Amino acid sequence: MNTSRPWHHALRGALTSILAVTVFSAQATSFPPPLNQQQTKQLRVIKNTALQVDLSYQVIESLTTEVGARLVGTPAEKQSVTWAVNKMKTLGFDKVWVEESEARLWQRGDLQAAITKPYQHNIVALALGNSVGTGGKALTGEVVEFADLAALNAAPAGSLENKIAFVSYRMTRHKDGHGYGSAVGARVTGAAQAAKKGAVAFIMRSVGTDTNRFAHTGVSRYEDGVKKIPAVAISNPDADLLQNALKHKQPVTFSLTMSASGPTGQTTTIANVIGEVTGSSKPQDIVTLGAHLDSWDVGTGAIDDGIGVGITLAAGHYLSQLNPRPARTLRVILFAAEEIGLYGAKDYVARRQGDLQNHVIGAEWDFGNGKIYQLEPGVSKDSLPAIAAFARFLSPMGISMAQTNNAKGQSDMSALGEAGQPAVNFNPDGTDYFDYHHTENDTLDKVDRDALKFNTAVYSMFALFATSTGADFRQ
Ligand SMILES: [Zn+2]
């Protein structure tokens, strides 16, 4: 692009030069009205702009280098709220506000892990979110392996007294990322299950598809009335080593020293940051785009979910530049504390007492780097033809429409979907997403700038379509 002319001025010029005012006559047909000619031109301009400029990347770079990692309860996480408010205002959002609530505070602390028998060898490991520590002392026990969570669940009560339970299940790699669903249960509930059998600690193969020597963190949960034991994930190569050592029919012991503190009952204030581009004729009708502002602490949260922040803020900016503006309001919600349990999304729904009647439709981006290949709706039957009409704009980009109509929205947005908001999921190629997910390797250099432009174009087009069309996805 021409660097002598800032791109947003170029966009504004292109948009205001659209003079077509032809109104599509939809009354004669039973189909919901697609976009009129002017809106269709706006859609093309937005698409071309998003494919050419780097705005979403600039946002991610700003977030990950000016603020850094954004673990709930850290100074950087508080700073990210101020950053997001300022960024939304700079990008042309009309109304920007925060909604504060409380989340449980967890602190990672330090960790050392090692095999101590049959020989001494350091192990690369990360505490799982919410894990308690070992009180600063080394905790040592014999390792007992389980092939998966079901095998651990089936172990007799009392069979793991003074032992360390190890789930060795390996996540499988798939384009749609469904291997995550089969693997993540152990991360969430493994520690509680192991404690019920008498184990003193829970270790697991990381939920990740890479073969690097780093571990994948992620949230875990204890059960009320069940002893809280330390819970850690070890890297894939370290899990291989442990499995191989166990095959030699000799005791393998493991030592863990960690100062993580949780759960203490202590809470910390979190904040959803919300920005709107006000609709021109139906401002009370809200289309939502979501991403989460918090991240894990070990990388800089560039992929998870800096990309979502970049895409949704860019889409809001592009809409703010339109003249005329779309009829409906676009609301971008940067959710708080997603990683440690969707706290921000739950607060968003609770504040509205589950009544999201004015929420016409929503979509979240929380799935990394891959190019979108499929649109999956979750809308009223009557509005499906309108979604299909929109999908035809995406089909030259290689994006098809799913035959199902059950989408609730990714991540945070699923809480709104469960509360009744119609949704669209944009499904990307997630083949390598779980190589980086929740690791030290989630850094800015991993962001695929071409795929980012492509996905930003798709979300910006969706935002334009959903705020402009006469179709109502609720009915
Ligand atoms: Zn995420």
Side-chain angles (χ1 to χ4, degrees), residues 292 294 303-305 338-339 364-367 411-412 433 437-438:
H292 64 85
D294 69 307
I303 285 182
D304 186 11
D305 185 21
E338 187 271 348
E339 294 292 7
E364 174 139 335
W365 185 261
D366 187 20
F367 207 164
S411 300
D412 306 277
Y433 181 57
H437 186 248
H438 298 179

Side-chain angles (χ1 to χ4, degrees), residues 77-134:
E77 182 245 353
K78 313 287 176 222
Q79 198 193 329
S80 72
V81 173
T82 310
W83 173 92
V85 168
N86 291 337
K87 193 62 78 179
M88 282 178 165
K89 287 179 178 169
T90 306
L91 290 173
F93 286 75
D94 305 307
K95 287 184 207 157
V96 181
W97 72 97
V98 300
E99 294 182 0
E100 292 187 340
S101 57
E102 293 290 307
R104 183 194 287 149
L105 180 64
W106 176 74
Q107 289 167 308
R108 178 176 297 285
D110 297 322
L111 179 149
Q112 287 98 39
I115 294 175
T116 50
K117 270 182 197 164
Y119 47 80
Q120 178 82 24
H121 186 77
N122 286 343
I123 293 290
V124 175
L126 279 176
L128 296 180
N130 289 327
S131 176
V132 297
T134 62

Side-chain angles (χ1 to χ4, degrees), residues 18 26 67 108 120 131 199 418 424 461 473:
I18 294 170
V67 179
R108 178 176 297 285
Q120 178 82 24
S131 176
E418 294 297 335
V424 159
M461 291 164 75
F473 308 104

Side-chain angles (χ1 to χ4, degrees), residues 234-280:
I234 67 177
S235 82
N236 267 313
D238 286 282
D240 292 344
L241 177 71
L242 203 50
Q243 267 191 297
N244 287 333
L246 287 159
K247 279 181 195 155
H248 288 272
K249 310 277 182 218
Q250 55 191 338
V252 176
T253 61
F254 195 93
S255 167
L256 198 57
T257 309
M258 45 193 289
S259 58
S261 66
T264 59
Q266 205 181 337
T267 63
T268 182
T269 302
I270 57 168
N272 292 331
V273 182
I274 302 172
E276 285 187 349
V277 177
T278 311
S280 57

